[in-house]
Amino acid sequence: MDLILEGIKQAISLLFTLDPEVLGITWLSLAVSGAATGISLIFGMSVGTTVALTEFPGKRFVISLINTGMGLPPVVVGLFVSIFLWRNGPLGFMEILYTPTAIVLAQAIIATPIVMGITLAAIQHLPRNLRLQILALGATRLQMVWMLMKEAKLPLLAAVMAGFGGVISEVGASIMVGGNIKGYTRVLTTATVMETGKGNFDIAIALGIILLLLAFAINSLLTAIQQQQRPR
Amino acid sequence: MMKRSYVRTAVLAVFLTLVLAVGMAANASAAPGKMKNLILATTTSTQDSGLLDVLIPIFEKKTGYFVKTIAVGSGQAMAMGAKGEADVLLVHSPAAEKAFMAQGNGTARTLVMHNDFIVVGPPADPATIKMTKGATAAFKNIALSKSLFMSRGDNSGTHAKEKGIWKAAGINPEKEKWYQQTGLGMGQTLNVAAEKKAYTLADRGTYLALKKNLGMDILNQGDAILLNVYSVIPVNPTKFKKINADGAKAFADFILSKDTQKIIGKFGVEKFGSPLFFPDAGKKEESLGK
């Protein structure tokens, strides 16, 4: 119990003294996971909507693939991304292993199926007639998609939160492709693992608390947008 | 109208994150100049003890190289070197290092420093190893009393040493119930052993760094077999063309230099009352522990 109190004290002091290292780590976590979520939104929402709105043979199979992808284990993603990015690997010429870019890439791969799966379900869940109605009112296909996405705002913002939540809390891939390099690729989760290994439990708890606060702040923002958008 | 402004906010947020992503990508490739990157594959003990946090910034400032320290077990560090995925290694697994050199994977293997391994366990000492002479006898006692033993089980230098001691004791613990493998780094394995009131083999540096929260005692130490020797090995650049050979050489020269060796010798004295590592540059491996 003392340890947890000590951790909370540490977290507060690290935050309020604006410890430059902790601020840097926090900022990097936010930037990397934010960027990864951004990328996953583009791919996840577009593909998810397309799959939801088109009929093609094997559609069920594709949907189960996407749904399986929602549970993609971060360590497996980390392993494959590392192998591809190795100097002597297929994408070695890019020289991005052990950089923040590599973490963004791995996290985007983790978040994309999550966003895709929820988008798919959200759009599919809309009443079929709505589509026909919108088209009947003379909307182009693109306008229709836009209308549908607006209609499904509530679950779509849930998709953003799920995607972001999935990557900001992820440690396996970040440590493998980022390497937990001090002042460069050290994010909140990998720093927590390292401080635990060092036996600095108070700092580890403090970093954990900062991570939770960060996740809470981002999700409150998204929830505010989501709830005010609620269609009556 | 309200609706619209929120949609715009959301779109803007997405757009901003994207700009950030592109900016970071550009930044990452631009910041540390291309051949300036140096990948150091090393053991968890050099990082968990905090030594590298002291040495690396000095090296970077002196030479302008940007060091990417990847802290893994010695086994994995050498595997990275053998595949050309690291430029220089700082490891502590002598038998495996010799094999690594014999395969032509490194240009030179030079002694950097040493400390020692210790057998730690619950203060109650159920296997009564405190009285035994030598680590081999202690391990025999642990096996005889079937006391819980936590192995790293990760091919690290510590794991290799531990297997060597079991071999010397003539015991194969692999399938025994009292023998468990964590597959984790030294710090975490110590934590697990402390929780389970188990014995384990640890390097002194990591144990001292973690001591305050462990509640474990040093129960056996001082045997010659417990010597823990760290070497630096620049990876052979003729095998892989992407190796930063100049950087690797600069790092080896740096860590063996007089000033650095002095820092290594003083590291930890302030915090733990005794040094965590003993500098050994220029010495022969055979002369250690005598």
Side-chain angles (χ1 to χ4, degrees):
Chain A
M1 213 36 222
D2 283 355
L3 202 59
I4 296 173
L5 286 179
E6 194 53 41
I8 294 172
K9 254 194 254 164
Q10 274 271 9
I12 292 169
S13 85
L14 285 175
L15 275 178
F16 281 89
T17 57
L18 300 177
D19 183 276
E21 188 171 355
V22 172
L23 278 187
I25 291 172
T26 310
W27 166 242
L28 185 70
S29 293
L30 186 63
V32 161
S33 297
T37 312
I39 294 169
S40 77
L41 288 184
I42 295 174
F43 287 103
M45 287 203 170
S46 55
V47 176
T49 314
T50 313
V51 173
L53 295 180
T54 41
E55 295 302 326
F56 54 90
K59 180 170 170 174
R60 278 196 185 174
F61 178 70
V62 170
I63 293 178
S64 34
L65 275 187
I66 295 171
N67 286 338
T68 310
M70 288 173 80
L72 216 54
V75 276
V76 177
V77 174
L79 176 65
F80 279 97
V81 171
S82 312
I83 291 173
F84 272 89
L85 294 183
W86 271 342
R87 278 176 179 168
N88 303 301
L91 300 176
F93 63 91
M94 292 167 74
E95 294 187 16
I96 59 167
L97 190 58
Y98 308 131
T99 65
T101 316
I103 311 182
V104 172
L105 180 65
Q107 291 193 347
I109 294 173
I110 294 165
T112 300
I114 299 177
V115 174
M116 206 180 276
I118 300 178
T119 304
L120 183 67
I123 301 288
Q124 275 192 320
H125 191 253
L126 294 174
R128 247 174 176 280
N129 292 341
L130 188 64
R131 250 197 274 172
L132 301 174
Q133 205 174 359
I134 295 169
L135 286 177
L137 286 171
T140 62
R141 204 172 149 80
L142 216 66
Q143 278 173 326
M144 175 199 71
V145 169
W146 185 238
M147 294 287 287
L148 288 181
M149 285 180 101
K150 268 164 89 175
E151 227 18 70
K153 187 113 300 140
L154 211 68
L156 286 185
L157 274 158
V160 181
M161 287 184 242
F164 182 78
V167 291
I168 190 93
S169 61
E170 170 284 323
V171 61
S174 297
I175 213 158
M176 286 170 99
V177 305
N180 190 33
I181 297 163
K182 191 180 180 181
Y184 187 53
T185 58
R186 188 165 293 172
V187 293
L188 282 167
T189 51
T190 61
T192 307
V193 169
M194 190 196 63
E195 294 299 347
T196 307
K198 282 180 169 180
N200 298 332
F201 299 113
D202 44 357
I203 300 176
I205 292 171
L207 290 170
I209 291 170
I210 294 171
L211 180 60
L212 285 174
L213 285 177
L214 188 64
F216 179 73
I218 298 290
N219 278 313
S220 311
L221 188 79
L222 290 171
T223 310
I225 299 172
Q226 183 194 43
Q227 295 302 322
Q228 267 160 331
Q229 267 300 111
R230 189 172 216 152
R232 264 145 299 206
Chain B
M1 273 327 272
M2 271 302 269
K3 243 183 185 179
R4 210 146 251 260
S5 74
Y6 277 109
V7 172
R8 219 176 285 156
T9 322
V11 171
L12 198 71
V14 172
F15 179 73
L16 279 178
T17 47
L18 270 179
V19 169
L20 206 69
V22 174
M24 278 202 357
N27 196 27
S29 50
K34 275 208 167 162
M35 266 319 268
K36 286 279 164 193
N37 282 334
L38 180 71
I39 299 182
L40 164 69
T42 182
T43 78
T44 52
S45 53
T46 50
Q47 174 163 294
D48 285 357
S49 62
L51 177 66
L52 289 179
D53 286 347
V54 175
L55 296 185
I56 298 296
I58 304 174
F59 173 72
E60 288 182 334
K61 213 172 165 194
K62 249 185 188 164
T63 59
Y65 286 107
F66 178 74
V67 182
K68 297 180 172 182
T69 308
I70 311 300
V72 289
S74 285
Q76 195 185 333
M78 275 181 267
M80 283 173 71
K83 283 200 300 275
E85 300 298 336
D87 301 309
V88 60
L89 315 177
L90 181 62
V91 285
H92 68 137
S93 194
E97 286 161 29
K98 280 170 196 158
F100 182 84
M101 293 303 292
Q103 286 158 12
N105 291 324
T107 55
R109 171 173 171 258
T110 320
L111 190 58
V112 174
M113 60 192 182
H114 78 270
N115 60 9
D116 60 343
F117 290 107
I118 48 182
V119 186
V120 296
D125 191 16
T128 60
I129 64 169
K130 213 167 183 176
M131 293 303 159
T132 53
K133 275 215 163 135
T136 324
F139 270 42
K140 274 183 187 156
N141 271 16
I142 292 170
L144 274 175
S145 63
K146 298 196 188 302
S147 308
L148 196 59
F149 185 95
M150 281 293 151
S151 167
R152 288 277 295 275
D154 63 350
N155 256 335
S156 58
T158 311
H159 186 216
K161 174 65 78 179
E162 178 218 310
K163 285 198 286 193
I165 300 174
W166 286 119
K167 212 173 165 195
I171 296 164
N172 178 14
E174 287 286 329
K175 285 186 181 143
E176 301 290 346
K177 262 208 179 124
W178 49 265
Y179 183 83
Q180 296 180 2
Q181 301 191 331
T182 62
L184 300 169
M186 192 69 256
Q188 276 164 305
T189 301
L190 275 167
N191 288 329
V192 174
E195 269 319 301
K196 295 200 157 200
K197 298 201 184 330
Y199 291 93
T200 193
L201 183 75
D203 65 284
R204 192 180 291 269
T206 312
Y207 169 76
L208 285 178
L210 268 73
K211 198 177 152 196
K212 59 178 184 318
N213 293 315
L214 284 178
M216 290 171 104
D217 285 352
I218 300 177
L219 297 170
N220 197 287
Q221 58 183 328
D223 193 343
I225 200 174
L226 291 175
L227 195 66
N228 182 18
V229 183
Y230 291 83
S231 299
V232 63
I233 305 176
V235 175
N236 189 353
T238 54
K239 269 196 163 177
F240 303 95
K241 58 176 188 290
K242 286 180 183 167
I243 301 285
N244 184 353
D246 295 339
K249 172 120 196 344
F251 182 80
D253 290 346
F254 163 78
I255 203 158
L256 296 168
S257 73
K258 245 189 197 150
D259 291 347
T260 313
Q261 290 275 310
K262 220 182 248 168
I263 298 170
I264 292 174
K266 280 192 191 139
F267 177 73
V269 175
E270 229 167 79
K271 208 168 163 195
F272 307 108
S274 63
L276 297 188
F277 300 96
F278 300 93
D280 287 327
K283 287 188 203 161
K284 285 236 155 59
E285 207 175 325
E286 298 77 35
S287 70
L288 294 180
K290 279 178 187 160

